[in-house]
Structures are given as structure tokens and as C-alpha cells.
Amino acid sequence: MNDLPAHPVDAAFAERDPFADARAVRELTWSDHPAQRHPWSLAFLAAATLTVAVGAVEIFDSKWAGVAAAVAAAVVFRGFLLKTTFTLDDSGAEARGPLGAHVLSWSEVKRFQHDPAGGTFSTAARPGLWDKLTAMRVSFPHSGARRDVVRFVLPRLSPGTPVVEEEE
């Protein structure tokens, strides 16, 4: 992950503009692969998927039902299973994985919510089903990344965009 500039910002200027050094950074890029970071969760997901697939075979008496159940689980948990590269720049946010990219411009972001594990760029002003389908979730690769990402994002959001900070 690109760090914010190491050089100190003039104190008087920083008082007038607390995001001055965040604006100097043009792009943040990092990759995350949750399945690699959490092997026990991956093992649990594999066991649960196998159980559901076997159950589908038994219920529907068709091996294709088991295959469909396993494929559905892979699609649902693709964010966990596959490596994703996140890029934040002056134009917006991008999450790029092996199955494609999800791109949002800053003007499309109606709400920004962040917690210790990651941030959510929402295209809906209020939480709901549409929000879950269209929002972009970025995971933070380490504990210090939250501060860097939030400092980068805040000055780029449209004025009045709600920012929700959650602690776990």
C-alpha cells in the first residue's frame, strides 16, 4: 500500500487544511486475499459447501444439483476466495479480481462506512437490499491501512456525504 508522504507538512498550512498531505497522494493500491489470510475459515467454507452439495444431491436425486450448489457457493463467496486488487485514485475506487472489476466514481458514492476490517462505498444513501447489491467493500490489509484509506477518501467525497465510523 502506498503510504502518505513522509515529509512533514507546514504546521500552519496543516491547521487550515487537515487533508493537505492526503491530497498530495494521487493513488492507493493494495491487494487482499482473505482465503489465504484465514485458512481455517477456508476449511470451514469447503466443509460447509461439501455438506450443502451432498444434501442437494440427496434431496434432488441429481449430481447436477450438487454441482449447482457448489458453484452457487463459489459465486457467493468469490470475494473471500479470490485475490482482489483495490485502487483508490482521484477519479474513484476500483476493486479488480479475476472475474472482472467494480468501479465507482467519487460522485457515485452516497455513503462511506468503515470499520477495522474494511470500508464500504455505498451508492445508496440508506442501507438496504439495493445497497448490498451495488456497494463496494474494500478490505484493509493491516491495521494501519484504515487510517490511510480514510484520510485519502474523506477529501474526495462530495460535500455532505455521510461517513459512518464503526468500531467492532
Side-chain angles (χ1 to χ4, degrees):
M1 179 160 152
N2 301 342
D3 290 326
L4 294 175
H7 60 83
V9 177
D10 176 65
F13 183 70
E15 284 179 19
R16 289 192 311 268
D17 187 358
F19 297 111
D21 56 342
R23 285 194 188 95
V25 176
R26 306 310 322 161
E27 180 179 283
L28 294 178
T29 300
W30 70 96
S31 294
D32 191 29
H33 191 184
Q36 194 172 44
R37 285 190 294 116
H38 304 286
W40 286 108
S41 296
L42 178 61
F44 176 77
L45 179 61
T49 300
L50 181 62
T51 302
V52 169
V54 168
V57 168
E58 293 296 319
I59 290 170
F60 296 105
D61 196 28
S62 168
K63 65 181 176 186
W64 295 112
V67 170
V71 168
V75 169
V76 168
F77 293 106
R78 70 187 177 276
F80 175 79
L81 297 170
L82 303 173
K83 181 179 177 180
T84 304
T85 300
F86 302 103
T87 302
L88 305 178
D89 59 24
D90 287 336
S91 63
E94 176 183 44
R96 181 171 296 282
L99 301 178
H102 186 183
V103 179
L104 289 176
S105 68
W106 295 123
S107 63
E108 292 176 286
V109 177
K110 304 299 182 214
R111 186 169 35 89
F112 175 56
Q113 185 172 335
H114 59 94
D115 57 51
T120 303
F121 299 106
S122 177
T123 58
R126 293 182 309 212
L129 179 59
W130 183 251
D131 184 41
K132 290 188 186 311
L133 296 173
T134 60
M136 177 190 300
R137 176 79 178 167
V138 299
S139 55
F140 299 146
H142 56 82
S143 60
R146 178 183 188 181
R147 176 187 53 87
D148 292 345
V149 169
V150 170
R151 286 179 65 196
F152 184 88
V153 169
L154 291 181
R156 289 166 174 85
L157 293 174
S158 300
T161 301
V163 176
V164 180
E165 182 176 349
E166 294 183 350
E167 298 299 327
E168 287 188 90

